[in-house]
Amino acid sequence: MERKIIITEDGSNSISIPELNVTYHSVHGAILESKHIFIEKGLLYQINQSTSKQINIFEMGFGTGLNALLTLIESERLGQKIYYETIELFPVENSQIKLLNYCELLQRNDLQKTFEQLHHCDWEKEIKISETFYLHKTKETLQNYKTSAPRNLIYFDAFDPNAQPELWTEEIFKKMFSMLEPGGLLVTYSSKGTVRRAMRSAGFIVEKLPGPPGKREIIRCRTTINGK
Ligand SMILES: C[S@@+](CC[C@H](N)C(=O)[O-])C[C@H]1O[C@@H](n2cnc3c(N)ncnc32)[C@H](O)[C@@H]1O
């Protein structure tokens, strides 16, 4: 399937798959979207409310590595230890990784090599990227993925429910719920009614939050009410 590099409205790149009519990020701004949903409403919120020393993240869909890069930056800025586990079925090709302009736009050219390392490091292994950030990538489908390690945050970043309805079901959200420890959170960009219903049926408490540019609402859901 052909993947094309595109430029989104904040100047940052993303990837589109014309055949599936999907993009990896919002066309209104890839960096803006990832920062708003996954970093501000997910990571920083969880760091504030969690009593755990380490934040254990599971990401559905490594893609361009933008969420991982932004998380690494926060981990170093805050001195917060983060274990980042991610799955990806179709890794981005080397020729396209080089074209992604995230480090330049974030004015972190010093991280370009580290960004490429996120992509090129071994799969199916825990890799120490920095003193505070550990990465574990798995080449597997979400449906077949198995893990026993408890997580306290999930970045649910599958393609749109219209393109991949099989990944936004009650069964999948039950699996996500079971991967989270009490007080665990899941953040995602889709606030579609069928998605919220599937999350509730799986046991989640669902909260709608204001979205980034071009998106009215996003979802943060949790396993327990009081975060304990
Ligand atoms: C919306 S993009 C993820 C964007 C990514 N988080 C980023 O920061 O660039 C969805 C990703 O999920 C991957 N994917 C699609 N179906 C999958 C499946 N069943 N299991 C695992 N990964 C899948 C795609 O290849 C794509 O990279």
Side-chain angles (χ1 to χ4, degrees):
M1 236 176 294
E2 190 198 10
R3 288 190 284 201
K4 282 186 170 171
I5 297 279
I6 58 166
I7 301 179
T8 66
E9 282 172 20
D10 65 2
S12 56
N13 293 131
S14 186
I15 294 178
S16 78
I17 306 183
E19 208 177 308
L20 295 179
N21 196 23
V22 292
T23 53
Y24 280 39
H25 305 96
S26 161
V27 293
H28 299 288
I31 290 182
L32 276 179
E33 179 191 47
S34 289
K35 272 189 170 172
H36 179 90
I37 302 173
F38 300 105
I39 303 302
E40 284 164 28
K41 305 298 181 200
L43 179 64
L44 298 181
Y45 181 85
Q46 184 61 307
I47 288 174
N48 268 334
Q49 69 147 26
S50 172
T51 50
S52 316
K53 277 204 179 120
Q54 181 172 312
I55 298 288
N56 296 319
I57 297 176
F58 171 73
E59 177 188 39
M60 161 54 215
F62 179 68
T64 64
L66 175 57
N67 289 338
L69 174 69
L70 293 172
T71 304
L72 163 79
I73 290 173
E74 291 305 311
S75 145
E76 295 193 339
R77 183 176 72 84
L78 299 167
Q80 170 68 56
K81 193 159 179 199
I82 293 182
Y83 181 83
Y84 196 98
E85 188 176 9
T86 181
I87 60 166
E88 176 56 62
L89 208 48
F90 308 104
V92 175
E93 284 161 26
N94 288 350
S95 57
Q96 296 196 317
I97 294 165
K98 285 191 189 346
L99 300 175
L100 298 171
N101 62 0
Y102 304 137
C103 291
E104 185 192 335
L105 283 193
L106 294 164
Q107 300 183 311
R108 293 298 309 264
N109 283 327
D110 58 308
L111 286 178
Q112 184 61 32
K113 277 213 169 78
T114 308
F115 177 60
E116 290 175 20
Q117 187 194 0
L118 297 178
H119 283 275
H120 297 141
C121 67
D122 286 347
W123 293 76
E124 330 298 342
K125 243 191 209 177
E126 181 180 313
I127 308 284
K128 182 178 178 181
I129 302 288
S130 77
E131 282 309 312
T132 54
F133 189 85
Y134 291 73
L135 178 68
H136 190 293
K137 299 185 293 180
T138 300
K139 221 177 274 180
E140 180 57 283
T141 62
L142 182 61
Q143 296 91 324
N144 292 339
Y145 182 67
K146 287 193 178 63
T147 180
S148 53
R151 307 276 157 241
N152 39 26
L153 180 58
I154 293 179
Y155 294 168
F156 198 83
D157 204 8
F159 287 133
D160 188 271
N162 293 327
Q164 280 193 308
E166 70 280 9
L167 295 186
W168 299 83
T169 61
E170 180 182 334
E171 194 188 347
I172 290 286
F173 286 119
K174 274 188 175 154
K175 184 169 181 167
M176 298 299 102
F177 190 96
S178 70
M179 282 169 59
L180 286 166
E181 55 187 35
L185 299 176
L186 178 151
V187 278
T188 192
Y189 63 87
S190 177
S191 63
K192 222 179 154 182
T194 51
V195 169
R196 283 185 279 124
R197 280 192 287 282
M199 289 167 164
R200 283 201 192 97
S201 303
F204 279 111
I205 297 150
V206 179
E207 185 184 6
K208 282 199 236 173
L209 299 170
K215 182 120 202 82
R216 203 156 54 92
E217 286 164 339
I218 59 158
I219 293 298
R220 177 168 63 209
C221 51
R222 61 185 73 231
T223 52
T224 46
I225 295 172
N226 60 4
K228 300 281 182 288

